[in-house]
Amino acid sequence: MDNTSRNFIENIIDEDLKEGTYEGICTRFPPEPNGFLHIGHAKSILLNYGLAKEYGGKFNMRFDDTNPTKEKEEFARSIIEDIDWLGAKYDKIYYASDYFDQMYEAAVKLIKKGKAYVSELSPDEIRQYRGTLTEPGKEDPYSNRSIEENLMLFEKMKSGQVEDGKMVLRARIDMSSANINMRDPIIYRVAHIAHHRTGDKWCIYPMYDFAHPMEDSIEGVTHSICTLEFEDHRPLYDWVVKETEVEHPPKQIEFAKLYLKDIVTGKRYIKKLVEDGIVDGWDDPRIVSLSGLRRRGFTADAIKRFIELSGVSKSNSVSDYAMLEYCQREDLRMGAPRYMAVKDPIKVIIDNYPEGKIEYFDVINNPENEALGTRKVPFSREIYIDREDFMEVPPKKYFRMFPGNEVRLMQTYFVKCESFIKDDEGRVVEIHCTYDPASRGGNSPDGRKVKGTIHWVNASTAIKALARDYENIIDEEKGVKDEEGNLNLNPNSLVKYENCMIEPAFEGAKAYDRFQFVRHGFYCVDAKESTDDKYVFNRIVSLKSSYKLPKQ
């Protein structure tokens, strides 16, 4: 097999299968139900699922629900929706809480082997005794208790006789280890709080570093693939696997996280954005949570392509958000119908067009994909154009509408601007034009050329909608954070067009339907606020970008 095109994880799995270390492959995605998933999690989900699929193995979806102080059903539901949306297929949903009995028995086994003890040091004292990166830790004064006393005290913890924070169970490893994670880590703590699945059955809960290898082992996971920050935890992972004498020892492998330049992914910062009302929730389209990306209109296929292009390695790197936008444009370019929408309308009256007349033009829905068919677009004496397509005194090389200039109304006629009307505040509110009936279809029989072509919407059949244009919530020129650690927010991250006028072809559009607004960008029907009476569209991406894919 040619390994040059395979990532390092595939090479490890190939070797394990060749040597017979494992007969088959089982991977997993183990989120804690204490928050919402973001695009970085998508890399882990798709990597783990993709490996299981590639090797004909099993992919487990497991909630690592060992900390009831932070977990909610709301988060669990959102995580399931995200994974289903990405298309990662799992046989069933597993829960760490289903293994609490086995974890407890494993902890008892460690005590009996002399590999764990009950400590009564306070949290601050435990930190002090642990030492630093340059100084070794000191022995816990409770580490020499007898096995019998430790078993008795651990049972007291379990039976609810110990207050929170008064006792913990620690693994007995090496307080002088160069790896701080190995300095007698806490593996159980007391927490008198109901669990959202087990209720009040337990008042002691396992710590993540103890629970995680146990969960993997119980489920038969072969390759426990996680991000680089867990590399220093791998010796503890292996220690737990060895000392609890599990039947199916898994192997932990670390890979580099997905980082995006000038994009907020940290839970703490997103939580503050939500709590301060800067965004309208964890699914705000400006946030790269998976629910936010989905609501904005991003497709799972585009995210998959982006993850593929980002690659899998052991070295941290930063990806450009523009590459994600590129993937999304490519995904929508052929599949999205191209309809006309006027976001900031000015009424245009074609004075020499017959009053009361309405005609229809057959228009191709997507010139790059004829399979999407055609539609009939109405046209009459009064239409709307975008305010940016008219200027009273234009600069040089402005080829759109201005007094005395002739332009092409997309798919229909040449029109010439004759005059305009302003309101009391000096704002243009109405434009008067004449049209050339001989130019039907957008071409003049006398060969006359016009340099400007603009889109429009027929006034009498227009549907009013709300269009929202999004930019990065971070001011990219200033960077993510200022000197005090506060986010540099972009004041223009959301621009609303309350009076957007759309053509009748949009009628009946449902949540997540995607379109190209001609000359504006790709838009999606908002799944949260759009109704049958009021359409709300979110801009997914603009039409063009200077971004180019790096050479592979």
Side-chain angles (χ1 to χ4, degrees):
M1 182 178 292
D2 180 12
N3 289 340
T4 58
S5 62
R6 300 174 70 72
N7 64 56
F8 77 98
I9 298 177
E10 291 170 318
N11 291 334
I12 292 172
I13 294 176
D14 289 342
E15 192 66 23
D16 285 343
L17 292 175
K18 180 181 177 181
E19 295 180 355
T21 306
Y22 302 105
E23 294 181 1
I25 297 301
C26 180
T27 62
R28 85 291 171 268
F29 177 63
E32 299 173 74
N34 61 4
F36 295 85
L37 302 185
H38 57 66
I39 194 165
H41 294 108
K43 180 174 182 178
S44 181
I45 294 166
L46 294 172
L47 174 59
N48 278 281
Y49 171 64
L51 288 168
K53 185 177 180 181
E54 176 185 352
Y55 289 95
K58 184 180 178 184
F59 171 66
N60 289 359
M61 164 57 208
R62 178 180 72 231
F63 283 113
D64 215 324
D65 56 343
T66 58
N67 185 4
T69 60
K70 297 182 178 180
E71 296 161 1
K72 295 180 182 179
E73 283 289 344
E74 172 193 4
F75 297 137
R77 287 193 300 270
S78 175
I79 289 169
I80 292 171
E81 288 176 3
D82 290 341
I83 293 173
D84 289 344
W85 175 62
L86 285 175
K89 306 297 182 184
Y90 48 85
D91 295 326
K92 72 175 206 177
I93 298 174
Y94 296 83
Y95 294 87
S97 53
D98 288 340
Y99 314 138
F100 281 169
D101 288 294
Q102 289 151 285
M103 292 178 191
Y104 173 78
E105 293 301 326
V108 170
K109 177 185 284 189
L110 291 179
I111 294 173
K112 290 179 177 179
K113 291 175 65 175
K115 298 291 185 177
Y117 61 91
V118 174
S119 174
E120 295 180 59
L121 290 179
S122 69
D124 285 340
E125 290 172 330
I126 287 176
R127 279 190 288 272
Q128 292 169 9
Y129 274 68
R130 185 176 290 129
T132 67
L133 292 173
T134 57
E135 298 178 356
K138 297 184 296 183
E139 290 296 324
D140 188 313
Y142 300 100
S143 63
N144 294 318
R145 280 176 162 150
S146 67
I147 289 174
E148 291 72 19
E149 185 178 6
N150 281 316
L151 288 172
M152 181 269 294
L153 291 174
F154 192 45
E155 178 60 31
K156 284 183 66 176
M157 290 169 61
K158 175 178 177 288
S159 62
Q161 300 176 55
V162 178
E163 295 179 16
D164 291 7
K166 295 298 183 181
M167 290 184 185
V168 294
L169 183 68
R170 301 182 72 176
R172 190 193 309 276
I173 306 180
D174 182 4
M175 289 301 293
S176 62
S177 173
N179 186 335
I180 291 181
N181 296 298
M182 300 296 282
R183 295 179 189 175
D184 291 12
I186 299 170
I187 58 176
Y188 260 93
R189 80 286 201 193
V190 177
H192 288 84
I193 183 171
H195 189 281
H196 68 100
R197 295 191 74 248
T198 61
D200 294 321
K201 178 180 178 181
W202 296 92
C203 61
I204 56 170
Y205 293 98
M207 302 298 287
Y208 179 87
D209 279 339
F210 177 71
H212 191 69
M214 290 294 302
E215 297 156 24
D216 287 343
S217 302
I218 292 167
E219 291 177 12
V221 170
T222 57
H223 296 81
S224 182
I225 299 165
C226 52
T227 47
L228 279 179
E229 70 262 33
F230 291 100
E231 189 169 27
D232 289 340
H233 295 250
R234 193 197 321 150
L236 178 53
Y237 183 100
D238 293 340
W239 183 91
V240 172
V241 167
K242 177 184 175 183
E243 297 298 340
T244 55
E245 303 171 27
V246 300
E247 187 176 349
H248 304 287
K251 175 182 288 188
Q252 179 175 304
I253 305 171
E254 306 86 19
F255 69 96
K257 270 185 175 182
L258 174 64
Y259 290 98
L260 287 172
K261 182 181 179 182
D262 294 331
I263 298 294
V264 177
T265 56
K267 286 182 183 177
R268 179 166 64 92
Y269 287 108
I270 295 178
K271 183 179 179 183
K272 182 169 176 56
L273 291 173
V274 174
E275 291 177 345
D276 291 350
I278 295 169
V279 297
D280 69 358
W282 285 81
D283 62 350
D284 188 289
R286 289 167 289 180
I287 297 175
V288 291
S289 63
L290 292 184
S291 55
L293 288 168
R294 183 166 69 251
R295 181 181 170 195
R296 182 162 175 172
F298 276 82
T299 61
D301 285 343
I303 291 176
K304 290 174 188 175
R305 177 62 176 148
F306 172 65
I307 298 299
E308 289 171 2
L309 292 172
S310 298
V312 178
S313 73
K314 289 281 286 186
S315 302
N316 284 323
S317 60
V318 179
S319 296
D320 197 329
Y321 185 79
M323 183 166 74
L324 174 59
E325 293 183 313
Y326 167 87
C327 293
Q328 187 57 76
R329 283 190 197 91
E330 288 299 296
D331 188 58
L332 292 174
R333 183 170 57 85
M334 298 290 288
R338 302 178 183 181
Y339 295 165
M340 292 188 287
V342 174
K343 295 193 298 183
D344 187 10
I346 299 180
K347 180 170 280 191
V348 174
I349 299 175
I350 305 169
D351 293 323
N352 64 334
Y353 192 89
E355 290 191 39
K357 178 182 177 181
I358 187 166
E359 59 183 314
Y360 292 86
F361 289 81
D362 290 320
V363 178
I364 297 173
N365 288 330
N366 186 330
E368 295 185 67
N369 183 1
E370 293 185 1
L372 292 182
T374 63
R375 69 191 187 281
K376 291 190 177 296
V377 178
F379 180 83
S380 63
R381 189 170 186 264
E382 296 186 2
I383 62 172
Y384 293 112
I385 68 168
D386 261 305
R387 184 168 296 277
E388 65 178 16
D389 286 335
F390 173 82
M391 292 192 75
E392 183 179 352
V393 182
K396 289 183 178 180
K397 296 186 178 181
Y398 182 87
F399 301 121
R400 286 170 275 177
M401 189 175 286
F402 57 87
N405 190 45
E406 190 173 44
V407 298
R408 177 187 293 104
L409 293 179
M410 194 172 286
Q411 306 289 342
T412 57
Y413 296 104
F414 288 3
V415 296
K416 182 179 181 181
C417 177
E418 306 290 352
S419 62
F420 56 89
I421 297 172
K422 293 183 177 182
D423 61 16
D424 293 340
E425 297 177 356
R427 181 179 170 87
V428 176
V429 293
E430 190 173 283
I431 301 168
H432 286 262
C433 294
T434 55
Y435 87 117
D436 178 2
S439 65
R440 194 180 197 281
N443 294 291
S444 176
D446 61 9
R448 190 168 75 256
K449 302 292 184 182
V450 296
K451 291 185 177 181
T453 300
I454 63 176
H455 66 285
W456 53 276
V457 170
N458 186 56
S460 63
T461 55
I463 302 170
K464 186 177 178 180
L466 166 63
R468 300 188 291 211
D469 285 3
Y470 294 101
E471 293 181 3
N472 191 350
I473 200 164
I474 294 299
D475 186 330
E476 295 178 14
E477 292 185 2
K478 296 180 179 178
V480 176
K481 291 178 283 188
D482 61 20
E483 294 179 355
E484 298 178 355
N486 299 312
L487 294 175
N488 288 316
L489 297 177
N490 174 10
N492 299 313
S493 63
L494 169 60
V495 178
K496 296 182 180 181
Y497 296 90
E498 301 280 357
N499 296 309
C500 178
M501 295 296 176
I502 59 177
E503 61 168 289
F506 284 98
E507 191 167 5
K510 302 299 182 185
Y512 300 116
D513 283 352
R514 299 171 181 87
F515 306 90
Q516 183 187 128
F517 283 13
V518 173
R519 295 177 61 222
H520 283 308
F522 292 99
Y523 287 75
C524 175
V525 178
D526 186 79
K528 191 173 182 179
E529 297 178 18
S530 192
T531 66
D532 292 338
D533 298 326
K534 179 66 176 293
Y535 292 109
V536 179
F537 292 92
N538 302 324
R539 187 173 70 179
I540 312 168
V541 289
S542 59
L543 287 180
K544 294 182 180 180
S545 170
S546 59
Y547 179 82
K548 293 183 179 180
L549 279 180
K551 293 182 179 180
Q552 300 296 306

